C-alpha cells in the first residue's frame, strides 16, 4: 500500500512538472487593456493569452505586440456566451497549461442608440456580471497555487455608489453566497425593467452598479479560493472612463501601473481587497468622490 502511495505521488509530481504556466489578459481591446497587455509583454517571460470580442482588433493587437513576446496568443472570447468560455478553457486545458496570472479588464458599456433602457441593463450585466461569474466557474479551476487574479473596477465599484443602505448591507454581507448575490442582481434587473432602480437607491447607472457587482464577485471569489493560495483583488486604475477618445495615452499608461503592481509586485498577503490607483488598500464603503491618499 505504501508503495502504491509513492507511485501515485510520483506520477502527480510528473504531471505537475509538465504543466506550463500562462498569463491571461481579458478585455485587451480597450485603451487601458492594450496598455496593460503592452507592458506585460515586456516583463512577463512566459506565454500570454489575451482576449477581445472583435477578431480584427485582436489580430491587429497581436501583430503589433508579438515583437515584445513571441509567446503572445490572441483568443476570441465573448463573455455573454458560455460556449465561448468553455472553448477557451478547453484550449488551455488541452495544452496542459495552468494560469498563474489573470487580469480581468472586461467592461461592456452600451453605446447602441436603438436599445431600450432595460436592454442596455440586460446586456451590460450579461457581460460584466453573469459572464464573469461563469468565467470564474469554468476557468478558475485551472489556476495555479498562488495564482494572482486582478479584477479592474473603478471609483464606481465602491459600495457607497449604492444609495440604499439595506441593499448595501445585503451585498456586503461577508457570508454572502453566490446564489444570494445573483438574487440581488436579479432584483436590480427587475427594478430596472420597471424603471424604478434610481428611486429605489440602486445607483445612478447600470455601468456603475455592474462595477459594484464586480467588487462583490471579487470578495466572494476571495472567500472561495483563498484557502487554495489564490490571490484575488480588485483595483481602481484611476481616472479612466468609457469616453476613451477624450483621454491621452498617458492616462491609460498611468492606469496600467496599479493593475500591474497587483499582478506582478504586490506581496501575496495582499488579497481580498479593493486597491486604489496609488496602491493603497481602502475600505469598500469609502466615499468614491473623495480621493483616497492613505490606507
Amino acid at each position: 500500500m505504501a508503495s502504491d502511495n509513492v507511485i501515485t505521488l510520483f506520477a502527480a509530481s510528473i504531471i505537475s512538472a509538465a504543466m506550463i504556466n500562462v498569463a491571461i489578459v481579458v478585455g485587451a481591446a480597450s485603451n487601458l487593456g492594450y496598455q496593460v497587455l503592452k507592458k506585460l509583454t515586456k516583463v512577463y517571460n512566459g506565454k500570454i493569452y489575451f482576449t477581445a470580442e472583435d477578431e480584427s482588433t485582436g489580430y491587429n493587437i497581436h501583430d503589433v505586440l508579438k515583437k515584445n513576446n513571441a509567446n503572445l496568443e490572441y483568443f476570441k472570447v465573448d463573455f455573454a456566451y458560455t460556449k465561448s468560455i468553455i472553448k477557451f478553457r478547453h484550449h488551455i486545458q488541452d495544452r496542459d497549461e495552468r494560469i498563474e496570472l489573470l487580469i480581468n479588464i472586461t467592461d461592456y458599456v452600451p453605446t447602441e442608440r436603438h436599445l431600450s433602457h432595460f436592454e442596455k441593463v440586460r446586456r451590460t450585466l450579461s457581460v460584466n456580471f453573469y459572464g464573469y461569474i461563469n468565467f470564474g466557474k469554468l476557468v478558475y479551476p485551472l489556476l495555479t497555487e498562488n495564482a494572482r487574479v486582478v479584477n479592474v473596477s473603478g471609483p464606481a465599484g465602491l459600495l457607497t455608489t449604492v444609495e440604499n443602505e439595506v441593499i448595501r448591507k445585503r451585498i456586503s454581507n461577508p457570508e454572502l453566497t453566490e446564489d444570494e448575490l445573483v438574487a440581488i442582481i436579479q432584483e436590480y434587473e427587475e427594478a430596472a425593467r420597471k424603471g424604478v432602480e434610481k428611486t429605489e437607491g440602486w445607483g445612478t447607472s447600470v455601468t456603475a452598479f455592474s462595477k459594484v457587482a464586480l467588487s462583490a464577485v471579487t470578495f466572494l471569489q476571495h472567500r472561495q479560493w483563498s484557502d487554495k493560495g489564490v490571490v484575488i483583488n480588485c483595483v481602481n486604475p484611476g481616472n479612466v472612463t468609457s469616453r476613451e477618445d477624450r483621454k491621452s495615452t498617458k492616462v491609460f499608461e498611468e492606469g496600467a501601473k496599479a493593475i500591474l503592481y497587483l499582478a506582478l509586485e504586490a506581496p501575496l498577503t495582499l488579497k481580498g481587497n479593493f486597491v486604489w490607483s496609488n496602491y493603497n488598500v481602502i475600505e469598500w464603503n469609502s466615499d468614491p468622490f473623495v480621493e483616497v491618499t492613505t490606507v
Side-chain angles (χ1 to χ4, degrees):
M1 181 65 69
S3 61
D4 289 343
N5 289 337
V6 170
I7 292 172
T8 300
L9 290 172
F10 179 69
S13 66
I14 292 176
I15 293 172
S16 177
M19 294 294 179
I20 301 170
N21 291 344
V22 302
I24 300 176
V25 177
V26 178
S30 67
N31 284 332
L32 177 61
Y34 177 79
Q35 291 301 327
V36 169
L37 180 62
K38 179 180 178 181
K39 289 179 180 294
L40 190 64
T41 58
K42 295 179 179 180
V43 297
Y44 185 80
N45 294 325
K47 185 174 184 178
I48 303 174
Y49 286 102
F50 72 96
T51 76
E53 287 187 25
D54 181 73
E55 286 187 319
S56 177
T57 301
Y59 287 120
N60 285 339
I61 292 173
H62 180 268
D63 290 342
V64 172
L65 297 182
K66 64 182 179 181
K67 64 179 182 296
N68 296 336
N69 187 316
N71 291 320
L72 182 66
E73 182 171 336
Y74 163 65
F75 201 97
K76 180 180 179 179
V77 179
D78 187 341
F79 269 34
Y81 296 95
T82 302
K83 288 183 178 180
S84 179
I85 300 173
I86 292 174
K87 184 178 179 181
F88 186 41
R89 176 200 166 114
H90 285 168
H91 181 85
I92 296 172
Q93 199 168 22
D94 292 347
R95 287 158 179 75
D96 291 328
E97 295 170 340
R98 290 299 180 265
I99 305 162
E100 66 175 347
L101 173 59
L102 172 59
I103 302 174
N104 169 35
I105 318 177
T106 301
D107 185 18
Y108 172 80
V109 178
T111 57
E112 303 92 332
R113 294 184 178 181
H114 67 280
L115 295 179
S116 67
H117 171 65
F118 179 65
E119 183 62 19
K120 291 179 180 179
V121 168
R122 191 189 68 79
R123 291 194 182 190
T124 300
L125 292 176
S126 71
V127 176
N128 294 358
F129 177 72
Y130 294 110
Y132 200 70
I133 284 282
N134 287 336
F135 188 85
K137 288 180 178 179
L138 292 167
V139 176
Y140 277 29
L142 301 182
L143 293 171
T144 65
E145 184 178 356
N146 292 330
R148 296 177 186 244
V149 178
V150 183
N151 289 327
V152 179
S153 183
L158 291 175
L159 188 61
T160 46
T161 59
V162 176
E163 299 170 359
N164 187 305
E165 183 177 357
V166 174
I167 298 172
R168 288 202 304 269
K169 287 183 178 180
R170 290 175 61 202
I171 204 169
S172 61
N173 179 356
E175 298 181 356
L176 187 72
T177 66
E178 183 179 303
D179 288 343
E180 290 169 339
L181 176 57
V182 169
I184 293 172
I185 304 306
Q186 290 174 337
E187 288 179 28
Y188 170 78
E189 290 182 277
E190 179 61 18
R193 187 185 67 80
K194 296 177 180 178
V196 297
E197 73 274 22
K198 292 183 181 179
T199 57
E200 290 186 358
W202 289 92
T204 58
S205 72
V206 62
T207 301
F209 185 73
S210 72
K211 291 298 185 182
V212 174
L214 177 62
S215 299
V217 169
T218 300
F219 304 135
L220 175 63
Q221 291 176 339
H222 163 68
R223 295 193 294 273
Q224 293 173 332
W225 289 90
S226 61
D227 62 343
K228 300 176 179 64
V230 177
V231 177
I232 305 177
N233 292 287
C234 57
V235 61
N236 163 37
N239 187 26
V240 179
T241 71
S242 60
R243 294 187 174 275
E244 298 187 340
D245 55 311
R246 297 186 179 182
K247 296 186 177 295
S248 67
T249 300
K250 183 68 174 178
V251 171
F252 300 104
E253 290 176 343
E254 290 297 316
K257 289 181 178 180
I259 298 171
L260 291 171
Y261 165 73
L262 286 176
L264 303 170
E265 301 176 27
L268 294 176
T269 53
L270 178 59
K271 52 187 175 180
N273 290 297
F274 196 115
V275 179
W276 210 247
S277 55
N278 59 7
Y279 309 170
N280 285 328
V281 174
I282 66 170
E283 295 295 327
W284 191 20
N285 62 353
S286 298
D287 187 342
F289 303 106
V290 177
E291 184 174 359
V292 179
T293 57
T294 59
V295 177

